[in-house]
Amino acid sequence: QVLLSGFELNHALIAKPTLQSLMGRHYIKALLRETVKVLGSANILGDPLGLVQHLGTGMWDFLSKPTVGLFQSARTLGVEQFMAGLSAGSFSLLSHTVYALSNASWKISKTAHRNVNAVKTRCDLLINSSLPLHKQMEISQEASSSEMMQLGSGSGSGSTSGAGGRGEGG
């Protein structure tokens, strides 16, 4: 979802070119911030935002669970909670890392496979067609624009799950 923040101006008695410049800068900055979200969730890149999210979750668990266990162990004068926290944090880091890397790799390979098939189909059409070359090029350009529309509408699906592939959104 792309969201642009509103433009607020407290001193409205300014020249029209100044107002246009201020609004232009405001919305260009907002679009650049949102572009990072769109590109980051694009399947063509393997869902880098999902990768960072899962790696961050794993690292957070790796650091926080042993810390919680350490405080609990200090109260009970034992090491069992610390060891349990260290084990749980390590497992979470490992599982999130494996999931993030495999999910990103799968999405990249899926996109590559789709693109290779599209190129192969176009080549087959060009080779086997009885149409003149300029007509073939027109058909190819129309197919390209419709594929780009489909890619643009389907590229925003990222991963929102925890470890283990549950709730994968792509």
Side-chain angles (χ1 to χ4, degrees):
Q1 186 176 24
V2 176
L3 299 172
L4 298 177
S5 60
F7 179 74
E8 183 178 333
L9 185 62
N10 293 328
H11 303 287
L13 297 175
I14 57 175
K16 184 178 179 180
T18 306
L19 177 63
Q20 290 172 336
S21 173
L22 289 172
M23 289 181 72
R25 275 188 266 148
H26 171 78
Y27 284 111
I28 286 174
K29 286 180 186 178
L31 279 171
L32 289 175
R33 283 191 297 266
E34 295 299 313
T35 301
V36 171
K37 288 182 188 176
V38 171
L39 289 178
S41 63
N43 287 337
I44 219 167
L45 303 173
D47 191 20
L49 285 181
L51 177 74
V52 170
Q53 176 190 7
H54 286 288
L55 291 176
T57 300
M59 186 57 73
W60 175 258
D61 288 348
F62 179 70
L63 297 174
S64 67
K65 289 185 179 190
T67 304
V68 169
L70 181 65
F71 287 125
Q72 290 175 349
S73 292
R75 279 188 274 171
T76 61
L77 300 176
V79 294
E80 293 82 21
Q81 287 88 358
F82 174 70
M83 295 305 290
L86 186 61
S87 174
S90 298
F91 179 76
S92 178
L93 176 62
L94 178 67
S95 63
H96 277 91
T97 301
V98 167
Y99 176 76
L101 293 175
S102 64
N103 187 42
S105 300
W106 176 76
K107 286 186 178 187
I108 289 172
S109 66
K110 182 174 105 173
T111 302
H113 180 264
R114 187 176 347 155
N115 291 338
V116 167
N117 280 342
V119 169
K120 180 188 175 299
T121 302
R122 283 191 195 147
C123 288
D124 289 346
L125 286 174
L126 289 174
I127 291 169
N128 298 327
S129 178
S130 61
L131 293 173
L133 185 59
H134 71 280
K135 289 289 187 187
Q136 293 177 22
M137 294 303 289
E138 288 175 8
I139 293 170
S140 179
Q141 288 174 350
E142 290 171 6
S144 292
S145 62
S146 68
E147 286 174 4
M148 289 303 288
M149 295 287 285
Q150 291 173 352
L151 179 63
S153 66
S155 67
S157 64
S159 173
T160 57
S161 72
R166 295 178 305 255
E168 191 225 355

Coordinates of all heavy atoms in Angstrom, one line a residue, residues 78-134:
G78 N 19.7 -20.1 39.2 CA 20.0 -21.3 38.4 C 20.3 -20.8 37.0 O 20.2 -19.7 36.6
V79 N 20.8 -21.8 36.1 CA 21.1 -21.4 34.8 C 20.1 -22.0 33.7 O 20.3 -21.8 32.6 CB 22.5 -21.9 34.4 CG1 23.5 -21.1 35.2 CG2 22.7 -23.4 34.6
E80 N 19.1 -22.7 34.2 CA 18.2 -23.4 33.3 C 17.5 -22.5 32.4 O 17.4 -22.7 31.2 CB 17.2 -24.2 34.1 CG 17.7 -25.4 34.9 CD 18.3 -25.0 36.2 OE1 18.0 -23.9 36.7 OE2 19.2 -25.8 36.7
Q81 N 17.0 -21.3 32.9 CA 16.2 -20.4 32.1 C 17.1 -19.7 31.1 O 16.7 -19.5 29.9 CB 15.5 -19.3 33.0 CG 14.3 -19.8 33.7 CD 14.7 -20.4 35.1 OE1 15.9 -20.4 35.4 NE2 13.7 -20.8 35.9
F82 N 18.4 -19.4 31.5 CA 19.3 -18.8 30.6 C 19.6 -19.8 29.4 O 19.6 -19.4 28.2 CB 20.6 -18.4 31.3 CG 21.7 -17.9 30.3 CD1 21.5 -16.7 29.6 CD2 22.8 -18.7 30.0 CE1 22.5 -16.3 28.7 CE2 23.7 -18.3 29.1 CZ 23.6 -17.1 28.5
M83 N 19.9 -21.0 29.7 CA 20.2 -22.0 28.7 C 19.0 -22.3 27.8 O 19.1 -22.4 26.6 CB 20.6 -23.4 29.4 CG 21.9 -23.3 30.1 SD 23.3 -22.6 29.2 CE 23.5 -23.9 28.0
A84 N 17.7 -22.3 28.4 CA 16.5 -22.4 27.6 C 16.4 -21.2 26.6 O 16.0 -21.4 25.5 CB 15.3 -22.6 28.5
G85 N 16.7 -20.0 27.1 CA 16.6 -18.8 26.3 C 17.6 -18.8 25.2 O 17.3 -18.4 24.1
L86 N 18.8 -19.2 25.6 CA 19.9 -19.3 24.6 C 19.5 -20.3 23.5 O 19.7 -20.0 22.3 CB 21.2 -19.7 25.2 CG 22.5 -19.7 24.4 CD1 22.7 -18.3 23.8 CD2 23.6 -20.2 25.2
S87 N 19.0 -21.4 23.9 CA 18.6 -22.4 22.9 C 17.4 -21.9 22.0 O 17.5 -22.1 20.8 CB 18.1 -23.7 23.6 OG 17.6 -24.6 22.8
A88 N 16.4 -21.3 22.6 CA 15.3 -20.8 21.8 C 15.7 -19.7 20.9 O 15.3 -19.6 19.7 CB 14.2 -20.3 22.8
G89 N 16.6 -18.8 21.4 CA 17.0 -17.7 20.6 C 17.9 -18.2 19.4 O 17.7 -17.7 18.3
S90 N 18.7 -19.2 19.6 CA 19.6 -19.7 18.5 C 18.7 -20.4 17.5 O 18.9 -20.3 16.3 CB 20.6 -20.7 19.1 OG 21.4 -20.0 20.0
F91 N 17.7 -21.2 18.0 CA 16.8 -21.9 17.0 C 16.0 -20.9 16.2 O 15.9 -21.1 15.0 CB 15.9 -22.8 17.8 CG 14.9 -23.5 16.9 CD1 15.3 -24.6 16.1 CD2 13.6 -23.1 16.8 CE1 14.5 -25.2 15.2 CE2 12.7 -23.7 15.9 CZ 13.2 -24.8 15.1
S92 N 15.6 -19.8 16.8 CA 14.8 -18.8 16.1 C 15.6 -18.1 15.1 O 15.2 -17.9 13.9 CB 14.2 -17.8 17.1 OG 13.5 -16.8 16.4
L93 N 16.9 -17.8 15.4 CA 17.8 -17.2 14.5 C 18.0 -18.1 13.3 O 17.9 -17.7 12.1 CB 19.1 -16.8 15.1 CG 20.2 -16.2 14.2 CD1 19.7 -14.9 13.6 CD2 21.5 -16.0 14.9
L94 N 18.3 -19.3 13.6 CA 18.5 -20.3 12.5 C 17.3 -20.5 11.6 O 17.4 -20.4 10.4 CB 19.0 -21.6 13.1 CG 19.2 -22.8 12.1 CD1 20.4 -22.4 11.2 CD2 19.4 -24.1 12.8
S95 N 16.2 -20.7 12.2 CA 15.0 -21.0 11.4 C 14.6 -19.7 10.6 O 14.2 -19.9 9.4 CB 13.8 -21.4 12.3 OG 13.4 -20.4 13.2
H96 N 14.7 -18.5 11.2 CA 14.3 -17.3 10.4 C 15.3 -17.1 9.3 O 14.9 -16.7 8.2 CB 14.3 -16.1 11.3 CG 13.0 -16.0 12.0 ND1 12.7 -16.5 13.3 CD2 11.8 -15.3 11.7 CE1 11.5 -16.2 13.7 NE2 10.9 -15.5 12.7
T97 N 16.6 -17.4 9.5 CA 17.6 -17.2 8.5 C 17.4 -18.1 7.3 O 17.4 -17.7 6.1 CB 19.0 -17.3 9.0 OG1 19.2 -16.4 10.1 CG2 20.1 -17.1 8.0
V98 N 17.1 -19.4 7.6 CA 16.9 -20.4 6.6 C 15.6 -20.0 5.8 O 15.6 -20.1 4.6 CB 16.8 -21.8 7.2 CG1 16.3 -22.8 6.2 CG2 18.2 -22.2 7.7
Y99 N 14.6 -19.7 6.5 CA 13.3 -19.3 5.8 C 13.5 -18.1 4.9 O 13.1 -18.1 3.8 CB 12.2 -19.1 6.8 CG 10.9 -18.6 6.1 CD1 10.2 -19.5 5.4 CD2 10.6 -17.3 6.1 CE1 9.0 -19.1 4.7 CE2 9.5 -16.9 5.4 CZ 8.7 -17.8 4.7 OH 7.6 -17.4 4.0
A100 N 14.2 -17.1 5.5 CA 14.3 -15.8 4.7 C 15.1 -16.1 3.4 O 14.8 -15.6 2.3 CB 15.0 -14.8 5.6
L101 N 16.2 -16.8 3.5 CA 17.1 -17.1 2.4 C 16.4 -18.0 1.4 O 16.4 -17.7 0.1 CB 18.4 -17.7 2.8 CG 19.3 -16.7 3.6 CD1 20.5 -17.5 4.1 CD2 19.7 -15.5 2.8
S102 N 15.7 -19.0 1.8 CA 15.0 -19.9 0.9 C 13.8 -19.2 0.2 O 13.6 -19.4 -1.0 CB 14.6 -21.2 1.6 OG 13.6 -20.9 2.6
N103 N 13.1 -18.4 1.0 CA 12.0 -17.7 0.4 C 12.5 -16.7 -0.7 O 11.9 -16.6 -1.8 CB 11.2 -17.0 1.5 CG 9.9 -16.3 1.0 OD1 9.2 -16.9 0.2 ND2 9.7 -15.1 1.4
A104 N 13.5 -16.0 -0.4 CA 14.0 -15.0 -1.4 C 14.6 -15.8 -2.6 O 14.3 -15.3 -3.7 CB 15.2 -14.2 -0.7
S105 N 15.3 -16.8 -2.4 CA 15.8 -17.6 -3.6 C 14.6 -18.2 -4.4 O 14.7 -18.1 -5.6 CB 16.7 -18.8 -3.1 OG 17.7 -18.3 -2.3
W106 N 13.6 -18.7 -3.7 CA 12.5 -19.3 -4.5 C 11.8 -18.2 -5.3 O 11.4 -18.4 -6.5 CB 11.5 -19.9 -3.5 CG 10.3 -20.4 -4.1 CD1 10.1 -21.5 -4.9 CD2 9.0 -19.8 -4.1 NE1 8.9 -21.7 -5.3 CE2 8.1 -20.6 -4.9 CE3 8.5 -18.6 -3.6 CZ2 6.8 -20.3 -5.1 CZ3 7.2 -18.3 -3.8 CH2 6.3 -19.1 -4.5
K107 N 11.6 -17.0 -4.7 CA 10.9 -15.9 -5.5 C 11.7 -15.5 -6.6 O 11.2 -15.2 -7.7 CB 10.6 -14.8 -4.5 CG 9.4 -15.1 -3.6 CD 9.0 -14.0 -2.8 CE 7.8 -14.4 -1.9 NZ 7.2 -13.3 -1.2
I108 N 13.1 -15.4 -6.5 CA 13.9 -15.0 -7.6 C 13.8 -16.0 -8.7 O 13.7 -15.7 -9.9 CB 15.4 -14.8 -7.1 CG1 15.5 -13.5 -6.3 CG2 16.3 -14.7 -8.3 CD1 16.8 -13.3 -5.6
S109 N 13.9 -17.3 -8.3 CA 13.9 -18.4 -9.4 C 12.6 -18.4 -10.0 O 12.5 -18.7 -11.2 CB 14.3 -19.7 -8.8 OG 13.4 -20.1 -7.8
K110 N 11.5 -18.2 -9.3 CA 10.1 -18.2 -9.9 C 10.0 -17.1 -10.9 O 9.5 -17.3 -12.0 CB 9.1 -18.0 -8.8 CG 7.7 -18.1 -9.3 CD 6.7 -18.1 -8.1 CE 6.1 -16.7 -8.0 NZ 5.0 -16.6 -7.0
T111 N 10.5 -15.9 -10.6 CA 10.5 -14.8 -11.5 C 11.3 -15.1 -12.8 O 10.9 -14.8 -13.9 CB 10.9 -13.5 -10.8 OG1 10.1 -13.3 -9.7 CG2 10.8 -12.3 -11.8
A112 N 12.5 -15.6 -12.5 CA 13.4 -15.9 -13.7 C 12.8 -17.0 -14.6 O 12.8 -16.8 -15.8 CB 14.7 -16.4 -13.1
H113 N 12.1 -18.0 -14.0 CA 11.5 -19.0 -14.8 C 10.4 -18.4 -15.6 O 10.2 -18.7 -16.8 CB 10.9 -20.1 -13.8 CG 10.2 -21.2 -14.6 ND1 8.9 -21.2 -14.7 CD2 10.7 -22.3 -15.2 CE1 8.5 -22.3 -15.4 NE2 9.6 -23.0 -15.7
R114 N 9.6 -17.6 -15.0 CA 8.5 -16.9 -15.8 C 9.0 -16.1 -16.9 O 8.5 -16.1 -18.0 CB 7.7 -16.1 -14.8 CG 6.4 -15.5 -15.4 CD 5.6 -14.7 -14.4 NE 6.0 -14.9 -13.0 CZ 5.9 -14.1 -12.0 NH1 5.2 -13.0 -12.2 NH2 6.3 -14.3 -10.8
N115 N 10.1 -15.3 -16.7 CA 10.7 -14.5 -17.7 C 11.3 -15.3 -18.8 O 11.1 -15.0 -20.0 CB 11.7 -13.5 -17.1 CG 11.0 -12.5 -16.3 OD1 9.8 -12.2 -16.4 ND2 11.8 -11.9 -15.4
V116 N 12.0 -16.4 -18.5 CA 12.5 -17.2 -19.5 C 11.4 -17.9 -20.4 O 11.5 -17.9 -21.6 CB 13.4 -18.3 -18.9 CG1 13.8 -19.4 -19.9 CG2 14.7 -17.7 -18.3
N117 N 10.4 -18.3 -19.8 CA 9.2 -18.9 -20.5 C 8.6 -17.8 -21.4 O 8.2 -18.1 -22.6 CB 8.2 -19.5 -19.6 CG 8.6 -20.8 -19.1 OD1 9.4 -21.5 -19.7 ND2 7.9 -21.3 -18.0
A118 N 8.5 -16.6 -21.0 CA 7.9 -15.5 -21.8 C 8.8 -15.2 -23.0 O 8.3 -15.1 -24.1 CB 7.8 -14.2 -21.0
V119 N 10.1 -15.2 -22.8 CA 11.0 -15.0 -23.9 C 11.0 -16.2 -24.9 O 10.9 -16.0 -26.1 CB 12.5 -14.8 -23.4 CG1 13.5 -14.8 -24.6 CG2 12.6 -13.5 -22.7
K120 N 10.9 -17.4 -24.4 CA 10.8 -18.6 -25.2 C 9.6 -18.5 -26.1 O 9.6 -18.8 -27.3 CB 10.9 -19.8 -24.4 CG 10.8 -21.1 -25.2 CD 10.7 -22.3 -24.3 CE 10.5 -23.6 -25.1 NZ 9.3 -23.6 -25.9
T121 N 8.5 -18.2 -25.5 CA 7.2 -18.1 -26.2 C 7.2 -17.1 -27.3 O 6.8 -17.4 -28.4 CB 6.0 -17.8 -25.2 OG1 6.0 -18.8 -24.2 CG2 4.7 -17.7 -25.9
R122 N 7.8 -15.9 -27.0 CA 7.9 -14.9 -28.0 C 8.8 -15.4 -29.2 O 8.5 -15.1 -30.3 CB 8.5 -13.6 -27.4 CG 7.5 -12.8 -26.7 CD 8.0 -11.5 -26.3 NE 7.2 -10.9 -25.3 CZ 7.6 -10.1 -24.4 NH1 8.8 -9.7 -24.3 NH2 6.7 -9.6 -23.5
C123 N 9.9 -16.0 -28.8 CA 10.8 -16.5 -29.9 C 10.1 -17.5 -30.7 O 10.2 -17.5 -32.0 CB 12.1 -17.1 -29.3 SG 13.2 -15.8 -28.6
D124 N 9.4 -18.4 -30.1 CA 8.6 -19.4 -30.9 C 7.6 -18.8 -31.8 O 7.4 -19.2 -32.9 CB 8.0 -20.4 -29.9 CG 8.9 -21.4 -29.2 OD1 10.1 -21.4 -29.7 OD2 8.5 -22.0 -28.2
L125 N 6.9 -17.8 -31.3 CA 5.9 -17.1 -32.1 C 6.6 -16.4 -33.3 O 6.1 -16.4 -34.4 CB 5.2 -16.1 -31.3 CG 4.1 -16.6 -30.3 CD1 3.5 -15.5 -29.4 CD2 3.0 -17.3 -31.1
L126 N 7.7 -15.8 -33.0 CA 8.4 -15.1 -34.1 C 8.9 -16.0 -35.2 O 8.8 -15.8 -36.4 CB 9.6 -14.2 -33.6 CG 9.2 -13.0 -32.8 CD1 10.5 -12.4 -32.2 CD2 8.5 -12.0 -33.6
I127 N 9.4 -17.2 -34.7 CA 10.0 -18.2 -35.7 C 8.9 -18.8 -36.5 O 9.0 -19.0 -37.7 CB 10.8 -19.2 -34.9 CG1 12.1 -18.6 -34.4 CG2 11.2 -20.4 -35.8 CD1 12.9 -19.4 -33.4
N128 N 7.8 -19.2 -35.8 CA 6.7 -20.0 -36.4 C 5.6 -19.1 -37.1 O 4.7 -19.7 -37.7 CB 6.1 -20.9 -35.4 CG 7.1 -21.9 -34.9 OD1 8.0 -22.3 -35.6 ND2 7.0 -22.3 -33.6
S129 N 5.7 -17.8 -37.0 CA 4.7 -17.0 -37.5 C 4.8 -16.7 -39.0 O 5.9 -16.6 -39.5 CB 4.7 -15.6 -36.8 OG 3.7 -14.8 -37.3
S130 N 3.7 -16.6 -39.7 CA 3.7 -16.3 -41.1 C 3.5 -14.8 -41.3 O 3.4 -14.4 -42.5 CB 2.7 -17.1 -41.8 OG 1.4 -16.8 -41.3
L131 N 3.3 -14.0 -40.2 CA 3.1 -12.6 -40.4 C 4.4 -11.9 -40.7 O 5.5 -12.4 -40.4 CB 2.6 -12.0 -39.0 CG 1.2 -12.5 -38.6 CD1 1.0 -11.9 -37.2 CD2 0.2 -11.9 -39.5
P132 N 4.3 -10.7 -41.4 CA 5.5 -9.9 -41.6 C 6.2 -9.5 -40.3 O 5.5 -9.4 -39.3 CB 5.0 -8.7 -42.4 CG 3.7 -9.1 -42.9 CD 3.1 -10.2 -42.0
L133 N 7.4 -9.2 -40.4 CA 8.2 -8.9 -39.2 C 7.6 -7.7 -38.4 O 7.5 -7.7 -37.2 CB 9.7 -8.6 -39.5 CG 10.6 -8.4 -38.3 CD1 10.6 -9.6 -37.4 CD2 12.0 -8.1 -38.8
H134 N 7.2 -6.6 -39.1 CA 6.7 -5.4 -38.4 C 5.4 -5.7 -37.7 O 5.1 -5.2 -36.6 CB 6.5 -4.3 -39.4 CG 5.4 -4.4 -40.4 ND1 5.5 -5.2 -41.5 CD2 4.1 -3.9 -40.4 CE1 4.3 -5.1 -42.2 NE2 3.5 -4.3 -41.5

